[in-house]
Amino acid sequence: MAPARREGVDRFLEDGRVVGMPARATDRQALLEHLATRVLAPGDTVSEAEINARLAGVTDDVAGLRRAFVDHGLLVRTADGSVYSRA
């Protein structure tokens, strides 16, 4: 990741945790992409409980962040929401 872009993501993190979701779509996408690489490696498949535990390490709003990952196409889930994997 280019330093300038990383610096932009850092504005929304404190001690590695999300302190605010960016209003600008490009900033939000960059932050979500950065966080997705931290919580789930490509090819990984985990249960809802496991993804929630991993997300709890970076945010207080686990459900909101999980939903944002799915909405932005960074995670895919089974129809019943019990299994998640990197898109």
Side-chain angles (χ1 to χ4, degrees), residues 44-66:
D44 277 357
T45 299
V46 297
S47 68
E48 182 179 22
E50 179 61 24
I51 196 67
N52 287 347
R54 292 180 185 191
L55 292 175
V58 297
T59 187
D60 291 333
D61 184 6
V62 170
L65 185 56
R66 188 183 64 232

Side-chain angles (χ1 to χ4, degrees), residues 59-82:
T59 187
D60 291 333
D61 184 6
V62 170
L65 185 56
R66 188 183 64 232
R67 191 175 315 111
F69 281 153
V70 172
D71 290 347
H72 284 82
L74 298 168
L75 289 181
V76 292
R77 64 179 178 197
T78 57
D80 66 0
S82 65

Side-chain angles (χ1 to χ4, degrees), residues 1-80:
M1 185 177 289
R5 186 172 178 187
R6 177 73 179 118
E7 182 178 281
V9 170
D10 283 341
R11 294 180 297 152
F12 306 105
L13 300 172
E14 186 174 303
D15 296 325
R17 294 182 57 80
V18 177
V19 292
M21 193 56 72
R24 287 185 44 211
T26 55
D27 289 339
R28 189 170 38 256
Q29 186 69 30
L31 177 63
L32 291 171
E33 288 173 3
H34 169 74
L35 293 171
T37 63
R38 288 181 51 196
V39 299
L40 198 62
D44 277 357
T45 299
V46 297
S47 68
E48 182 179 22
E50 179 61 24
I51 196 67
N52 287 347
R54 292 180 185 191
L55 292 175
V58 297
T59 187
D60 291 333
D61 184 6
V62 170
L65 185 56
R66 188 183 64 232
R67 191 175 315 111
F69 281 153
V70 172
D71 290 347
H72 284 82
L74 298 168
L75 289 181
V76 292
R77 64 179 178 197
T78 57
D80 66 0

